[in-house]
């Protein structure tokens, strides 16, 4: 058995205190991020964000987008998360499958993004979640409040929704029928 020396105890305490200090510096509750931000709008309504850190800047950016564009911002993040059908209905299940495929790629590579970029994405998600929490009347029932930085990052890689592709095809062909599976090649 190893002997415990005063030096090893001091090193252990320094390590623990350093970890606690880092955790306190980086872990700000999402509902309090607004305290680290100042937003000033010009006479034309253009917002200027002054933030203590990138997490808070992302939070403010999301909040401003939700104020300016209503539920659209949050719904786009929800769509990229692959959970739109759980809120809007079964007709969005196809889009969710496509979004989940893209989200899986984003999840796999998320750790490769710089810490700064991840901070902005995570702050943005926190801002959207907080806006949903404080303005539930603007959103469909069951709107989740647990969107993540990965969901926000997935909005950058999401393919166009299936309904938009169907609408385009309908306009181009004039047909309102849903396309069926392709015909099997004949053996003749």
């Amino acid at each position: 058995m190893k002997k415990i020396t005063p030096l090893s105890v001091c090193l252990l305490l320094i390590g623990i205190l350093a970890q606690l200090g880092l955790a306190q510096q980086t872990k700000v509750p999402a509902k309090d991020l607004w305290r680290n931000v100042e937003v000033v709008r010009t006479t034309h309504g253009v917002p200027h964000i002054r933030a203590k850190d990138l997490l808070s800047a992302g939070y403010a950016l999301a909040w401003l987008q939700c104020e300016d564009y209503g539920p659209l911002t949050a719904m786009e993040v929800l769509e990229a998360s692959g959970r739109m059908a759980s809120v809007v209905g079964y007709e969005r299940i196809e889009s969710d499958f496509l979004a989940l495929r893209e989200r899986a790629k984003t999840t796999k590579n998320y750790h490769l993004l710089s810490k700064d970029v991840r901070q902005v994405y995570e702050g943005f998600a926190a801002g959207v979640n907080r806006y949903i929490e404080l303005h539930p009347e603007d959103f469909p029932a069951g709107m989740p409040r647990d969107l993540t930085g990965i969901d926000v990052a997935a909005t950058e890689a999401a393919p166009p929704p299936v309904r938009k592709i169907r609408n385009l095809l309908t306009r181009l062909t004039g047909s309102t029928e849903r396309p069926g599976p392709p015909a099997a090649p004949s053996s003749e």
Side-chain angles (χ1 to χ4, degrees), residues 14-15 28 38 45 70 94 110 112 115 118 133 136 147-148 188:
I14 289 171
V28 176
E38 178 186 4
E94 268 183 275
Y110 190 72
L112 299 174
K115 181 182 176 188
R118 289 192 314 262
E133 182 181 331
L147 300 167
T148 67
E188 294 178 30

Side-chain angles (χ1 to χ4, degrees), residues 123-158:
F124 195 95
V128 169
N129 290 330
R130 186 71 173 150
Y131 192 87
I132 295 167
E133 182 181 331
L134 296 177
H135 299 91
E137 69 282 356
D138 294 345
F139 298 95
M143 181 71 176
R145 298 173 185 160
D146 62 349
L147 300 167
T148 67
I150 292 173
D151 298 329
V152 176
T155 64
E156 311 260 356

Side-chain angles (χ1 to χ4, degrees), residues 18-33:
Q19 287 298 319
L20 288 174
L22 287 175
Q24 288 174 354
Q25 289 175 6
T26 59
K27 190 64 177 168
V28 176
K31 67 179 185 173
D32 292 332
L33 285 174

Side-chain angles (χ1 to χ4, degrees), residues 55-186:
L55 186 71
S56 302
Y59 180 91
L61 182 60
W63 187 273
L64 289 167
Q65 284 190 15
C66 287
E67 276 186 346
D68 292 348
Y69 302 111
L72 180 63
T73 302
M75 297 305 280
E76 286 180 355
V77 177
L78 176 66
E79 186 170 30
S81 78
R83 298 185 285 168
M84 187 67 107
S86 68
V87 174
V88 195
Y90 181 78
E91 66 275 1
R92 297 306 296 274
I93 198 82
E94 268 183 275
S95 294
D96 281 354
F97 283 122
L98 291 173
L100 285 170
R101 187 179 336 169
E102 292 300 319
R103 188 180 186 283
K105 292 177 197 173
T106 303
T107 301
K108 179 182 174 187
N109 296 314
Y110 190 72
H111 72 282
L112 299 174
L113 296 172
S114 72
K115 181 182 176 188
D116 291 346
V117 171
R118 289 192 314 262
Q119 290 275 304
V120 173
Y121 283 148
E122 289 161 19
F124 195 95
V128 169
N129 290 330
R130 186 71 173 150
Y131 192 87
I132 295 167
E133 182 181 331
L134 296 177
H135 299 91
E137 69 282 356
D138 294 345
F139 298 95
M143 181 71 176
R145 298 173 185 160
D146 62 349
L147 300 167
T148 67
I150 292 173
D151 298 329
V152 176
T155 64
E156 311 260 356
V162 171
R163 72 179 153 69
K164 288 186 178 179
I165 295 169
R166 281 214 178 101
N167 289 343
L168 174 66
L169 292 174
T170 299
R171 281 191 302 230
L172 292 175
T173 64
S175 171
T176 57
E177 291 183 38
R178 288 185 67 158
S186 64

